[in-house]
Amino acid sequence: MCGIIGYTGNRSVAGVLVDGLRRLEYRGYDSAGLAVVSGGELHEAKAVGKVRKLEEVVAALPGLGSLCGCGIGHTRWATHGVPSTVNAHPHFSNDRKIAVVHNGIIENHQELRRHLTSKGCVFRSQTDSEVIAHLIAEAYDGDLLAATAAVLDQLQGTYGIAVVSDRHPGLIVAVRKGSPIVVGIGEGENFVASDIAALLAHTRQVIYLNDGDIAAITPEKIELRDIRNVPIEREIAKIDWETGAAEKGNYPHFMLKEIFEQPETVENAIRGRLDHEMASAILSGIGLSPRELLQIGHIVIAGCGSSMHAGLVGEYYFEDLAGISTSVEQAAEFRYRNPIIEPNTLVIPISQSGETADTIAAVREAAAKGAIVTALCNVVGSTIAREAGRGIYLHAGPEISVASTKAFLSQVVVLLLFALLLGRNRRLSRSRGAELVAEIEQIPDLIREVLEQALEIKKIASRYAHVDDFFFIGRGCLYPTALEGALKLKEISYIHAEGYHAAELKHGPISLLDEKHPVMALANDIPGRDKILGNIQECRARKAPVVAIATRGDRAIRDLTQDVIEIPPCSRFVAPLPTAVALQLFAYYIAAERGCEIDQPRNLAKSVTVE
Ligand code: G6P
């Protein structure tokens, strides 16, 4: 939530910042702003709304676009204070000599505000972040890094912060606690950002700050200190995402691009991970020996949003294939309900970004309770990936659309691989393992077959673009798939959509059904399909229009509804993957027809870094 970018070097600072903010916009898009230090002066620009509004403001300010030096920029997802230019970052000290951008929440901001006000500080915004600028100004004694370090123990909560001052041309000070900050290493120029997506166009060499690290960044060097101002060293990491991976290409939206990338991203998730000889999977990142795997007595999966839905699919895999009891927790609840972590419990946090605050908290709680923690993350070097210390990367490349698509699919695939490995380690026969290996290898082609039907799915979607409500029903592994389909639809089209287990429909929601309440029935030919047929009849009897996902050639379903999206035949374990792709396209085309802001739905952010 909230994107931060900083640049120091000889290029147009505002140009680099605006470009970086555009790439970070998925982190928040209520307002945006920047501050540039050049020629001993501090310049600012702010705008409510998307980054393109900020770009217009920058263009209208004579000379700002051509200034070199250093600067910081921010795109906001409002927590404290409405979206407005006053609340947009950067925030300034009263003498306007220090500018600060912040991602996170300062929990004791009211107390700090009272203290600063009593000392004569005048607050301009309603944000929690503004206190940071005033505190640094209060501590300032000629050394910006020392002043920033000095205020950190007064700040409770989470932060990624970047600071500039007109007294320190070329210098950016950055610090993190709980909210990501990554430093990008250039030649004769350097960068800082909340997220590597903003750096991809400039550099592949990065340093991930740890909590408590402070960086002093100039065009020539990057100095790192700890909170006691003692110099520290951090490893330089290499980003292996391809150039252009964070570009939209010829697609109208990132979401559509990411949906169509899925055959390749799933291939990337599988590559090198299938062991044909052993009819198993190779997942070296989990760092557990066969003996340790055998000792796992219980699995707890924690995640939020789509990542949690992937976990719910994984629950079926682990229990069915490996015979290990598994529970799925909303990461936000995990630490508050004092979970019971028995010895030999494996906790699997799932997070595309690796930065979701609630999932990070779950990782810490699990580790503190002695669990073995193995994370599933997409973003290499992210907080969860580093804190867990072991895990499986998704290799899905940057996911820019706020609504998760390709990361969800890769999560499900990796969970299937993990369950195969655990299963083969225990009760799964070699021949059953070999069948699964073959099924997993087919997934990219199954997805391609669904993508080939995009136009038909679009036609069906257009018949439902006007509705206000939608129910999604499924059974078995397709129950969590129904939850994910409903989430996709509601987040990008603003249609009220609910996912239910098909059997639960009769325990309440059925009372709502009529001709205005369509139902999406996941009726693939897997166990439970006959019961779903009965559920479709029940919906039709109440005049609810039904769209069905069915296995190619299923005539019985065609007799019940004309709106059928066909999926190639596949097993129940693999079925969630092509089915999810069909549901993604369905949601996408409905949202497109309704003219929604698909990549940046209102009120949402890609990475929820506050609780
Ligand atoms: C936000 C995003 C969702 C995502 C969820 C979890 O709500 O909008 O698309 O599923 O966060 O994010 P994570 O990065 O932890 O997977």
Side-chain angles (χ1 to χ4, degrees):
M1 257 163 190
C2 298
I4 290 178
I5 173 83
Y7 172 71
T8 177
N10 282 326
R11 285 194 264 167
S12 152
V13 177
V16 175
L17 296 182
V18 167
D19 178 66
L21 290 178
R22 225 183 285 114
R23 295 168 197 278
L24 289 176
E25 206 165 22
Y26 62 90
R27 293 186 70 101
Y29 28 85
D30 294 334
S31 57
L34 55 83
V36 175
V37 176
S38 185
E41 282 181 40
L42 193 47
H43 307 262
E44 72 167 296
K46 290 183 177 184
V48 176
K50 303 260 167 118
V51 173
R52 61 173 178 268
K53 295 280 178 206
L54 177 67
E55 208 174 344
E56 286 165 23
V57 172
V58 170
L61 288 170
L64 180 58
S66 57
L67 297 178
C68 308
C70 73
I72 50 178
H74 186 271
T75 176
R76 179 167 185 251
W77 187 89
T79 57
H80 297 61
V82 295
S84 66
T85 44
V86 170
N87 287 332
H89 297 218
H91 294 290
F92 293 83
S93 56
N94 279 163
D95 61 7
R96 299 193 66 75
K97 296 210 150 291
I98 289 167
V100 170
V101 290
H102 165 229
N103 171 26
I105 289 186
I106 305 302
E107 286 163 1
N108 58 336
H109 72 103
Q110 277 170 324
E111 201 182 309
L112 293 169
R113 188 180 267 254
R114 272 197 297 277
H115 154 79
L116 288 159
T117 308
S118 72
K119 293 182 131 191
C121 253
V122 178
F123 278 79
R124 294 192 170 79
S125 75
Q126 291 94 52
T127 65
D128 55 325
S129 311
E130 191 182 341
V131 295
I132 304 167
H134 298 307
L135 286 172
I136 295 174
E138 192 184 49
Y140 183 79
D141 190 15
D143 183 339
L144 192 60
L145 185 139
T148 307
V151 307
L152 298 181
D153 61 358
Q154 296 178 62
L155 301 177
Q156 286 167 18
T158 56
Y159 47 80
I161 300 170
V163 190
V164 291
S165 166
D166 58 7
R167 298 188 185 106
H168 297 271
L171 173 68
I172 305 170
V173 175
V175 54
R176 76 160 270 170
K177 185 187 145 206
S179 301
I181 289 284
V182 53
V183 178
I185 305 168
E187 284 186 18
E189 59 182 4
N190 285 310
F191 307 82
V192 63
S194 51
D195 197 327
I196 55 176
L199 305 178
L200 277 181
H202 307 294
T203 179
R204 293 304 148 110
Q205 311 252 87
V206 299
I207 298 171
Y208 296 102
L209 295 196
N210 283 350
D211 277 353
D213 290 358
I214 309 172
I217 305 153
T218 60
E220 300 78 33
K221 62 176 186 219
I222 295 159
E223 280 184 79
L224 301 177
R225 306 273 171 85
D226 69 11
I227 202 158
R228 289 161 290 127
N229 217 352
V230 176
I232 48 169
E233 300 263 329
R234 292 275 172 249
E235 214 178 293
I236 296 176
K238 189 153 175 354
I239 311 172
D240 62 2
W241 283 351
E242 287 168 25
T243 320
E247 310 283 338
K248 227 185 310 189
N250 292 327
Y251 287 93
H253 298 99
F254 277 108
M255 182 175 179
L256 194 61
K257 178 190 177 219
E258 289 161 5
I259 291 173
F260 272 86
E261 276 173 1
Q262 291 176 115
E264 289 78 43
T265 52
V266 163
E267 262 158 19
N268 291 342
I270 297 171
R271 185 167 303 116
R273 289 175 167 168
L274 286 175
D275 181 342
H276 290 87
E277 208 182 313
M278 299 300 291
S280 183
I282 305 164
L283 299 169
S284 41
I286 57 176
L288 296 170
S289 67
R291 175 186 287 268
E292 286 167 320
L293 289 177
L294 209 51
Q295 281 165 355
I296 293 168
H298 181 60
I299 294 176
V300 178
I301 300 175
C304 301
S306 297
S307 294
M308 187 188 69
H309 291 160
L312 288 166
V313 179
E315 184 179 14
Y316 285 85
Y317 295 163
F318 289 124
E319 297 204 331
D320 201 316
L321 296 171
I324 304 176
S325 77
T326 303
S327 53
V328 181
E329 303 277 346
Q330 281 183 342
E333 262 320 288
F334 187 77
R335 72 178 149 153
Y336 294 113
R337 59 177 209 84
N338 199 12
I340 294 158
I341 302 288
E342 307 271 10
N344 298 323
T345 298
L346 171 69
V347 173
I348 308 179
I350 305 182
S351 175
Q352 185 284 129
S353 62
E355 301 296 349
T356 300
D358 285 322
T359 315
I360 294 174
V363 170
R364 291 179 182 157
E365 178 75 13
K369 290 197 155 168
I372 310 158
V373 182
T374 285
L376 261 60
C377 292
N378 190 36
V379 178
V380 176
S382 56
T383 303
I384 292 173
R386 287 183 301 139
E387 289 204 10
R390 52 175 136 210
I392 312 168
Y393 280 120
L394 304 177
H395 300 311
E399 191 179 67
I400 306 294
S401 167
V402 167
S404 182
T405 53
K406 61 178 180 172
F408 171 79
L409 245 67
S410 295
Q411 288 163 348
V412 173
V413 167
V414 165
L415 287 164
L416 185 53
L417 290 168
F418 203 171
L420 168 64
L421 172 65
L422 286 167
R424 286 289 294 130
N425 189 250
R426 297 162 180 244
R427 67 182 191 180
L428 204 66
S429 70
R430 194 177 187 291
S431 64
R432 186 68 193 99
E435 272 169 34
L436 265 172
V437 166
E439 284 174 24
I440 292 170
E441 282 179 317
Q442 276 174 9
I443 296 171
D445 283 338
L446 295 174
I447 297 169
R448 282 187 189 99
E449 285 191 50
V450 176
L451 294 175
E452 278 162 18
Q453 297 175 63
L455 283 181
E456 279 105 275
I457 295 174
K458 186 177 179 183
K459 269 190 218 148
I460 297 175
S462 73
R463 294 204 274 276
Y464 292 87
H466 61 280
V467 306
D468 295 324
D469 300 277
F470 228 116
F471 287 102
F472 285 63
I473 56 169
R475 286 170 181 265
C477 300
L478 293 179
Y479 160 53
T481 314
L483 298 181
E484 176 60 10
L487 177 63
K488 285 292 88 76
L489 184 64
K490 83 179 100 177
E491 63 187 340
I492 62 168
S493 73
Y494 314 141
I495 291 173
H496 166 243
E498 296 294 337
Y500 273 94
H501 189 282
E504 272 294 308
L505 202 64
K506 287 197 277 293
H507 297 287
I510 201 162
S511 66
L512 294 169
L513 294 191
D514 60 19
E515 55 284 331
K516 290 198 195 120
H517 287 80
V519 176
M520 167 70 79
L522 309 188
N524 312 40
D525 191 5
I526 58 173
R529 174 247 183 210
D530 293 347
K531 291 203 165 51
I532 284 266
L533 281 189
N535 300 133
I536 294 176
Q537 302 268 22
E538 289 154 12
C539 298
R540 299 295 289 134
R542 280 143 190 99
K543 300 198 173 62
V546 171
V547 188
I549 304 249
T551 300
R552 198 170 49 222
D554 191 331
R555 292 189 162 270
I557 295 203
R558 288 250 173 226
D559 290 344
L560 292 175
T561 173
Q562 54 158 343
D563 293 328
V564 179
I565 300 172
E566 291 198 332
I567 300 288
C570 56
S571 80
R572 69 197 156 114
F573 295 116
V574 164
L577 295 142
T579 305
V581 176
L583 297 177
Q584 294 163 356
L585 285 170
F586 184 72
Y588 173 83
Y589 287 121
I590 286 190
E593 180 128 351
R594 289 164 73 99
C596 298
E597 287 263 20
I598 293 179
D599 286 333
Q600 291 159 354
R602 68 183 177 213
N603 303 337
L604 297 181
K606 180 82 186 146
S607 200
V608 179
T609 55
V610 295
E611 282 181 53

